[in-house]
Amino acid sequence: MIISAPGDFRAAARRRLPRFLFDYIDGGAGQELTLARNSGDLAEIGLRQRVLTGVAAPQLATTLFGRAQALPLVLAPVGLTGMFARRGEVQAARAAKLAGIPYCLSTLSVCGLEEVSAAAAPIWFQLYMIRDRGFMRELLGRVKAAGCTALAFTVDLPLPGVRYRDGHSGMSGPGASLRRYLQAIGHPRWAWDVAFRGRPLNLGNIASALRPGSGLQDYVAWLGANLDPVLQWRDLEWIREHWDGALIVKGILEVEDARAAAAAGVEGIVVSNHGGRQLDGAPSTARALPAIAEAVGDRLTVLADSGVRSGADVVRLLALGARAVLIGRCWIYALAARGQAGVTQLLELLAGEMRTTMILTGSPELSALDRNTVILPIK
């Protein structure tokens, strides 16, 4: 299959993956209203075309939390990435390092943080708060020992959202194990590369909490019992006691919560609705971002994710106030389709689209992207 646009990777991933995995990454919560709004609202934001500006080689480099990077992008944390390609987290981290951008490893990764950091340090780490604080202390100690440069604390998942697609596909629900097995043998290339050659297929960062040989259902049950749903802002103090690096709160959609994060002294926030996978009916990132960036953008670093499908979408979010953009689904599609080479190709396509968009909007550098770059929908 010829890949000439970021969206082409989705079709390639769909052919390669068993249905339960494709629907897991492709789907959202409930009726998927927020999932659709994320991309739909971005598409409605116009770009202001400028001519005779003399812009020919826009600069895409930026700095996040004291570290220079080549593009205003971050590979967002995605659970179970090692199920989409053999040792998928390692492949993705290597692609990110080659591109000069951060990779953020999920707590729920297949490859443990020691394996990933050994292959492509430095990385970021995404944290879910677990009830067992002893386990959390041990995990944060491992994060520090691995040399991670930023900690992204996800706050919008006190419990998993209602995801109908997972029940329909076999990711969860009655008879799920048999359904996944039958789908796997129907995709022999994936089964050989990932299920056989990609072992061990466990959640490397939490494997020590479970008995050897635990399967997917065991991990799901453990998470359901151990995710801490009663967190409050004061719990950030506990994290600060055990982490002294850059702390980013991921999952902010309201100005009040953004102000609370700033008051708590975190270094950054991610304006995010978890890719439409948590509260169906929540606003899109594109709608939430401008007011949040205006309220707290001078007090901390504002990042954004959800709905990005192109380099033009990245430019839109930067113009609305984000310092950089986390991409999720689009890089997982690329990884599933072509492994590390696919992620590298995707990043090259996004960078090329960003440059073209910036030239046509007369934007010589990232700092030139602002509300004058875009045309907001008429209300």
Side-chain angles (χ1 to χ4, degrees), residues 332-349:
I332 284 290
Y333 295 143
L335 179 76
R338 296 186 174 179
Q340 179 179 331
V343 180
T344 295
Q345 184 181 5
L346 169 73
L347 293 173
E348 291 171 350
L349 288 170

Side-chain angles (χ1 to χ4, degrees), residues 12-100:
R14 186 169 201 161
R15 285 199 297 269
R16 183 174 176 82
L17 294 172
R19 180 189 169 189
F20 73 93
L21 285 176
F22 180 80
D23 280 4
Y24 172 74
I25 193 60
D26 195 62
Q31 296 174 296
E32 302 188 346
L33 301 176
T34 298
L35 175 65
R37 288 172 186 165
N38 280 334
S39 54
D41 287 352
L42 265 177
E44 288 186 4
I45 296 171
L47 293 162
R48 197 175 300 278
Q49 180 174 297
R50 299 301 304 275
V51 299
L52 304 179
T53 63
V55 176
Q59 300 301 303
L60 303 184
T62 190
T63 300
L64 290 182
F65 310 111
R67 301 184 69 91
Q69 56 184 76
L71 300 169
L73 296 174
V74 178
L75 293 193
V78 178
L80 302 179
T81 291
M83 295 293 292
F84 295 91
R86 174 163 40 96
R87 312 313 287 169
E89 291 88 0
V90 169
Q91 293 197 59
R94 285 174 171 161
K97 186 170 185 177
L98 287 172

Side-chain angles (χ1 to χ4, degrees), residues 40-370:
D41 287 352
L42 265 177
E44 288 186 4
I45 296 171
L47 293 162
R48 197 175 300 278
Q49 180 174 297
R50 299 301 304 275
V51 299
L52 304 179
T53 63
V55 176
Q59 300 301 303
L60 303 184
T62 190
T63 300
L64 290 182
F65 310 111
R67 301 184 69 91
Q69 56 184 76
L71 300 169
L73 296 174
V74 178
L75 293 193
V78 178
L80 302 179
T81 291
M83 295 293 292
F84 295 91
R86 174 163 40 96
R87 312 313 287 169
E89 291 88 0
V90 169
Q91 293 197 59
R94 285 174 171 161
K97 186 170 185 177
L98 287 172
I101 67 172
Y103 169 74
C104 189
L105 181 70
S106 171
T107 294
L108 306 182
S109 61
V110 169
C111 300
L113 67 92
E114 290 84 3
E115 179 182 355
V116 179
S117 61
I123 62 173
W124 293 8
F125 188 78
Q126 175 270 329
L127 181 73
Y128 286 121
M129 187 64 84
I130 304 300
R131 294 175 190 267
D132 184 342
R133 293 299 192 261
F135 175 82
M136 292 304 300
R137 282 192 295 271
E138 177 187 343
L139 179 59
L140 287 172
R142 292 168 58 195
V143 173
K144 291 174 67 174
C148 295
T149 58
L151 186 70
F153 177 35
T154 297
V155 295
D156 59 359
L157 203 150
L159 77 172
V162 178
R163 301 175 188 173
Y164 297 135
R165 272 216 232 182
D166 287 352
H168 294 154
S169 70
M171 190 69 177
S172 60
S177 296
L178 177 59
R179 294 165 68 193
R180 291 196 299 268
Y181 173 77
L182 293 174
Q183 291 175 34
I185 63 176
H187 291 76
R189 289 180 59 200
W190 173 87
W192 169 252
D193 188 47
V194 178
F196 183 75
R197 297 177 65 202
R199 298 175 182 173
L201 293 180
N202 56 24
L203 298 185
N205 296 320
I206 64 172
S208 62
L210 295 171
R211 68 181 185 278
S214 296
L216 180 61
Q217 299 300 325
D218 299 302
Y219 285 100
V220 171
W222 186 86
L223 287 170
N226 285 278
L227 285 175
D228 195 339
V230 295
L231 292 174
Q232 300 180 53
W233 285 106
R234 62 173 178 264
D235 290 298
L236 286 175
E237 298 175 7
W238 187 92
I239 296 176
R240 280 295 196 194
E241 291 176 7
H242 302 279
W243 173 257
D244 55 6
L247 179 59
I248 306 160
V249 173
K250 182 178 183 296
I252 300 294
L253 284 176
E254 296 292 333
V255 169
E256 292 85 351
D257 289 337
R259 287 177 174 146
V266 303
E267 283 71 30
I269 59 172
V270 184
V271 181
S272 170
N273 54 41
H274 214 98
R277 296 169 63 80
Q278 280 299 102
L279 177 61
D280 196 29
S284 68
T285 292
R287 287 192 179 274
L289 175 59
I292 290 174
E294 184 174 346
V296 301
D298 59 345
R299 301 172 63 187
L300 45 69
T301 298
V302 178
L303 310 175
D305 71 17
S306 302
V308 174
R309 299 294 182 267
S310 68
D313 286 343
V314 175
V315 169
R316 289 180 172 101
L317 289 179
L318 295 176
L320 293 177
R323 179 69 176 272
V325 173
L326 284 74
I327 56 172
R329 282 184 176 86
C330 59
W331 78 258
I332 284 290
Y333 295 143
L335 179 76
R338 296 186 174 179
Q340 179 179 331
V343 180
T344 295
Q345 184 181 5
L346 169 73
L347 293 173
E348 291 171 350
L349 288 170
L350 292 175
E353 290 180 348
M354 288 184 63
R355 290 189 182 94
T356 298
T357 304
M358 291 176 68
I359 290 171
L360 294 177
T361 58
S363 308
E365 55 192 18
L366 298 178
S367 62
L369 298 173
D370 57 23

